[in-house]
Amino acid sequence: MKNDAAEQQTGGSEGRPRYQNHVAVAIVLVVAGIAVALGQYKVPSVMPALMETFGMDMASTSMLMSVFTFVGIVLALPAGFLARRIGAKNLMVIAVAVLVVGTVVGAFATSGTMLVASRAIEGVGLVTCGVCAPLVIRGYSAPTRVGFVTGIWALWISLGSFFGGVLTPSLFGVVGFQGTWLVMAAIAAAAGAMLLLYLKTPEGGIFESVAKRAPQDAALPRARVRDLFTRDLLLILGGFLMFNMVLISMLTYSPTFLQGEGMDPTLSGFASTLPMLLAVVTSPLFGVLADKTGRIKLLQVVSMLAMGPCACVLLTTASPALWVAAVVMGLVGLGAPTMFLITYPLSVSKVELMPIAMGLLVMVQSLGQFLGALVAPMVLAGGWMALGLFVMVLGLVGTGLLALARMKAA
């Protein structure tokens, strides 16, 4: 694109914002995101050991993960308001620090209750980072590179869950529970320091212009908050809710179904997480395609269309079709998170509303995961095919909502 290098490094023509190198911004953000996601996903692979260490039963141990969802529902929207007050980058650095504190508290936990409380503190950090990072992307990256940076950032959960599952058992075996938690805290602290030291507010960018508002403009009038809830924004949020319900249902129950069909536990885990691994390719690819073609609605609808049918197959068959569905979900369906992070901000009418809008998006994400975890077991009472058809319908409803939304490139 014309003058990209100038825009990113020197500001291009006079009066243009001076943005930082988009590749470096993407790397700094995704490293911080992975470090934060490690905080959430360090638990599943060592859950039996934690149950033994703290004398917890399955119900109380499940709270070590579900507390993140509750925190997201409650705090995502307030985090958006706070980001508007103190700046997205500043709040993201604070969020990483909060996660470090929560992890250190957990390292010295003496009971299951204290460990759950430390997880709630970690959840505050994770949710706040999820709100702030898309704002940082749009404030620190040239507009022509937002899709690419968003595509890299969208990998934070996929890679965080992957590395959490791989690193945690090995660390646990070598340094034990307390050592593992302290190592994870150190990783997050290093990532937060890199975020603090590298990202500099672009001169003339949206963050600088917001920061220079007159003091009397700091409060956001209620009428303008109501203006956030447009038809198109609500349709996109509806699609995002459906996406999260489909994904959490598949990730939670597909391994159980496959093991019931006689598949080895290790292989069943690989099959259900294969889409997440393939997202390493898909996420940045969809971001680049959005930058280059501007066909953001087509990319959004096509990616969402793949989710429901693929999730249905992953929950209802152990035949070779399973692997086809896993690959299609990974290479097409999981382009959806990148596209949501691109199309949703474009449906926000004013830049001043962006922090609150991102808080709303993360709240809907948490709500979708909560509802998926709540409703799927009820549907499963009717059998695996009932659950498969349920997630397929959710995916198709989400696709329909997105097809009705008006979307246009920046």
Side-chain angles (χ1 to χ4, degrees):
M1 305 297 290
K2 63 181 181 179
N3 295 330
D4 269 352
E7 280 187 42
Q8 293 170 23
Q9 301 294 343
T10 64
S13 59
E14 187 175 353
R16 283 188 172 182
R18 291 178 170 86
Y19 295 105
Q20 292 177 261
N21 180 274
H22 65 286
V23 175
V25 170
I27 292 172
V28 169
L29 285 176
V30 80
V31 167
I34 291 169
V36 169
L38 279 173
Q40 180 177 11
Y41 291 99
K42 62 179 178 283
V43 162
S45 59
V46 294
M47 197 170 284
L50 294 176
M51 293 174 66
E52 182 179 349
T53 301
F54 291 95
M56 302 170 72
D57 57 22
M58 182 58 73
S60 57
T61 307
S62 67
M63 283 295 295
L64 296 175
M65 291 299 292
S66 60
V67 70
F68 280 82
T69 303
F70 295 128
V71 169
I73 294 172
V74 173
L75 294 184
L77 200 54
F81 280 93
L82 189 57
R84 185 176 182 273
R85 289 282 184 177
I86 69 175
K89 177 218 168 175
N90 295 334
L91 186 56
M92 190 170 180
V93 172
I94 293 171
V96 176
V98 168
L99 182 126
V100 171
V101 170
T103 306
V104 172
V105 170
F108 294 97
T110 56
S111 67
T113 301
M114 186 175 177
L115 185 61
V116 171
S118 74
R119 298 285 288 167
I121 298 171
E122 290 178 307
V124 172
L126 181 137
V127 167
T128 305
C129 281
V131 171
C132 293
L135 301 171
V136 174
I137 289 171
R138 291 182 173 271
Y140 289 75
S141 307
T144 54
R145 298 299 188 182
V146 164
F148 171 84
V149 180
T150 299
I152 299 298
W153 163 253
L155 294 171
W156 70 300
I157 293 292
S158 297
L159 292 179
S161 61
F162 174 74
F163 288 123
V166 171
L167 292 177
T168 307
S170 300
L171 282 171
F172 207 94
V174 175
V175 297
F177 161 72
Q178 190 174 82
T180 300
W181 258 235
L182 291 176
V183 168
M184 295 294 187
I187 292 172
M194 184 169 63
L195 187 70
L196 174 65
L197 296 174
Y198 179 77
L199 293 184
K200 307 296 182 185
T201 303
E203 296 178 19
I206 62 171
F207 287 174
E208 185 183 57
S209 63
V210 170
K212 290 181 177 178
R213 287 195 309 260
Q216 62 267 26
D217 294 332
L220 187 63
R222 182 175 298 180
R224 292 175 64 185
V225 173
R226 290 200 299 267
D227 291 343
L228 180 65
F229 297 96
T230 63
R231 168 188 176 274
D232 296 323
L233 183 138
L234 291 174
L235 287 170
I236 294 172
L237 284 176
F240 193 52
L241 182 74
M242 299 297 107
F243 171 83
N244 281 283
M245 291 183 70
V246 170
L247 185 62
I248 198 68
S249 298
M250 186 281 291
L251 289 174
T252 302
Y253 291 102
S254 180
T256 303
F257 165 76
L258 295 174
Q259 290 173 38
E261 295 294 303
M263 186 176 288
D264 174 81
T266 302
L267 186 59
S268 69
F270 174 74
S272 61
T273 57
L274 178 59
M276 307 298 282
L277 295 178
L278 293 175
V280 173
V281 174
T282 307
S283 188
L285 176 61
F286 268 67
V288 170
L289 288 174
D291 282 339
K292 297 295 184 182
T293 69
R295 304 293 296 274
I296 60 172
K297 181 171 182 176
L298 176 63
L299 292 168
Q300 179 76 89
V301 171
V302 167
S303 61
M304 186 65 195
L305 181 62
M307 286 298 298
C310 290
C312 178
V313 173
L314 285 160
L315 288 166
T316 57
T317 182
S319 70
L322 161 77
W323 299 102
V324 175
V327 170
V328 173
M329 178 182 282
L331 294 181
V332 181
L334 288 184
T338 298
M339 295 313 304
F340 278 116
L341 290 173
I342 292 173
T343 59
Y344 177 76
L346 294 174
S347 69
V348 179
S349 58
K350 297 181 183 299
V351 68
E352 294 89 347
L353 292 171
M354 274 291 294
I356 301 166
M358 292 312 304
L360 184 62
L361 184 70
V362 174
M363 185 182 74
V364 169
Q365 177 181 343
S366 299
L367 182 62
Q369 293 176 359
F370 173 75
L371 291 176
L374 178 68
V375 176
M378 302 178 189
V379 178
L380 188 55
W384 289 107
M385 184 56 70
L387 182 58
L389 292 176
F390 175 69
V391 297
M392 183 164 66
V393 169
L394 288 178
L396 294 177
V397 169
T399 303
L401 293 174
L402 294 172
L404 292 173
R406 293 182 293 265
M407 304 178 195
K408 58 182 180 179

